C-alpha cells in the first residue's frame, strides 16, 4: 500500500495523489521525488557517481558482494515477487538482481537524483524514485527490501530499520550489508560520508528492536581482513584524502587474485560457515508477523 507522507493515510490507487488530502509528490528529472529538499544535498558529490560507474564492474569487491547478495536472495527468499533497494546508487546491484530474477518487480530509491539517472541507464525497467529512507511511503508493500552499504550513512539508522519493517509484507524480510569494525576506519569512510562502522552485537540489537528475526548474520571480506587492516593502517596518515578510492583501483592480476580469495570465502558461507570478523557484515532477517 502507498502511504501519504503528509496525512499518514494509506491507499491503493495506481496514482500517487492521496485521495484523502490531495497531496502528490512532484517529479524531478522524470523521477517521483518524496524528499525534494534533500535531493541535491547528500554530502556525496555528483562526480563520484560517475567514478563508481566506471569502477564497479572491474572491482573484485563490488562483484563479490553482488554475488553474495544474489545467493542470499535466492536461498532465503525464494518466490519473491517484489523487491526494493534503498540507496540504489548507480544501479550496479539492481542490474544484477534484474538479470538473475527477471520475474521480480524491481524498485530502487536514492536520496540523490543524480544517482537515479545512472540507475535508470542500467535498469530501465525498474521503478525508481527519490526518497528519504527515514520516511518510506509504503506499508506492507515489498517481499524483500535491500540496503547495501547504506545504513552506515544515516545517523537515525534505527528509524530506517523501523521504516523498512513497515514497508515489508508479513513474511517478507530484509537483506543488509554494512561495513564492520571501528579499527578499519580510514579516508574511504570519510569520502563515503559514513557515520559509523558497525559491530555485530550492536547491529543485531537494532535489527531485532525494529521487529525482525535474524536468520543469518556473518562477516565477509574475512580472509582478506589482515590485508585490509595493513592497508588501512598504512593509509591513516592522510595520504588517501585526495583519492580515497585508491584502495579499489588495483591492477587486473591483483583483482583476479583477490576475487578468487573472495570466491573461496563465499563457498564457505554457502556451506553455513559464519565468519566472526571481516571488513563487512551480511544480514538476512525476516519480519516478525
Amino acid at each position: 500500500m502507498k502511504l501519504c507522507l503528509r496525512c499518514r493515510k494509506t491507499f491503493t490507487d495506481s496514482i500517487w495523489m492521496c485521495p484523502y488530502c490531495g497531496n502528490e509528490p512532484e517529479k524531478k528529472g522524470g523521477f517521483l521525488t518524496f524528499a525534494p529538499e534533500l535531493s541535491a544535498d547528500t554530502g556525496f558529490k555528483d562526480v563520484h557517481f560517475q567514478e563508481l560507474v566506471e569502477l564497479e564492474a572491474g572491482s573484485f569487491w563490488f562483484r563479490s558482494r553482488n554475488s553474495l547478495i544474489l545467493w542470499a536472495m535466492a536461498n532465503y527468499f525464494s518466490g519473491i515477487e517484489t523487491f526494493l533497494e534503498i540507496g540504489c546508487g548507480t544501479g550496479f546491484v539492481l542490474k544484477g538482481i534484474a538479470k538473475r530474477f527477471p520475474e521480480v518487480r524491481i524498485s530502487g530509491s536514492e536520496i540523490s537524483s543524480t544517482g537515479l539517472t545512472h540507475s535508470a541507464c542500467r535498469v530501465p525497467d525498474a521503478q525508481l524514485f527519490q526518497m528519504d529512507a527515514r520516511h518510506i511511503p509504503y506499508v506492507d508493500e515489498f517481499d524483500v527490501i535491500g540496503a547495501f552499504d547504506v545504513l552506515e550513512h544515516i545517523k537515525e539508522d534505527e528509524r530506517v530499520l523501523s521504516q523498512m519493517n513497515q514497508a515489508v509484507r508479513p513474511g517478507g524480510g530484509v537483506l543488509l550489508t554494512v561495513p564492520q569494525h571501528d579499527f578499519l576506519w580510514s579516508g574511504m569512510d570519510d569520502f563515503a560520508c559514513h557515520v559509523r562502522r558497525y559491530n555485530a552485537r550492536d547491529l543485531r540489537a537494532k535489527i531485532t528492536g525494529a521487529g525482525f528475526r535474524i536468520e543469518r548474520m556473518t562477516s565477509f571480506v574475512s580472509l582478506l581482513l589482515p590485508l585490509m587492516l595493513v592497508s588501512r593502517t598504512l593509509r591513516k596518515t592522510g595520504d588517501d584524502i585526495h583519492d580515497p578510492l585508491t584502495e579499489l583501483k588495483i591492477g587486473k592480476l591483483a583483482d583476479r587474485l583477490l576475487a578468487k580469495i573472495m570466491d573461496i570465502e563465499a563457498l564457505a558461507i554457502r556451506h553455513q560457515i559464519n565468519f566472526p570478523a571481516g571488513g563487512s557484515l551480511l544480514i538476512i532477517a525476516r519480519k516478525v508477523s
Side-chain angles (χ1 to χ4, degrees), residues 95-205:
K95 181 179 179 180
I97 291 173
K99 183 177 180 180
R100 173 65 176 80
F101 304 98
E103 72 285 358
V104 174
R105 296 194 301 277
I106 293 175
S107 300
S109 75
E110 177 58 59
I111 197 168
S112 166
S113 297
T114 301
L116 290 176
T117 301
H118 291 292
S119 292
C121 291
R122 279 178 159 166
V123 196
D125 294 331
Q127 177 189 6
L128 302 172
F129 49 90
Q130 187 273 346
M131 180 189 79
D132 179 353
R134 298 169 299 181
H135 303 282
I136 300 178
Y138 287 101
V139 175
D140 296 342
E141 179 73 16
F142 302 100
D143 294 320
V144 179
I145 296 179
F148 309 117
D149 292 85
V150 170
L151 288 178
E152 67 274 12
H153 295 266
I154 306 170
K155 289 181 180 179
E156 304 91 339
D157 57 345
E158 290 174 275
R159 175 170 178 78
V160 175
L161 288 166
S162 177
Q163 288 287 290
M164 292 171 76
N165 186 278
Q166 166 196 286
V168 167
R169 291 173 178 168
V174 294
L175 286 171
L176 308 169
T177 63
V178 297
Q180 186 177 214
H181 303 314
D182 286 338
F183 60 78
L184 289 175
W185 189 278
S186 77
M188 284 194 68
D189 295 282
D190 295 320
F191 163 78
C193 305
H194 289 174
V195 175
R196 68 184 70 78
R197 296 183 72 90
Y198 285 90
N199 68 67
R201 183 176 64 181
D202 288 348
L203 184 56
R204 180 182 292 274

Side-chain angles (χ1 to χ4, degrees), residues 256-289:
R256 286 197 294 269
L257 175 61
L258 296 179
K260 290 293 183 184
I261 295 173
M262 291 287 286
D263 287 345
I264 294 170
E265 179 179 291
L267 182 62
I269 291 173
R270 289 168 182 162
H271 283 82
Q272 300 302 308
I273 294 175
N274 292 331
F275 290 93
S280 297
L281 279 167
L282 168 71
I283 305 96
I284 300 106
R286 199 171 294 274
K287 182 174 181 174
V288 177
S289 300

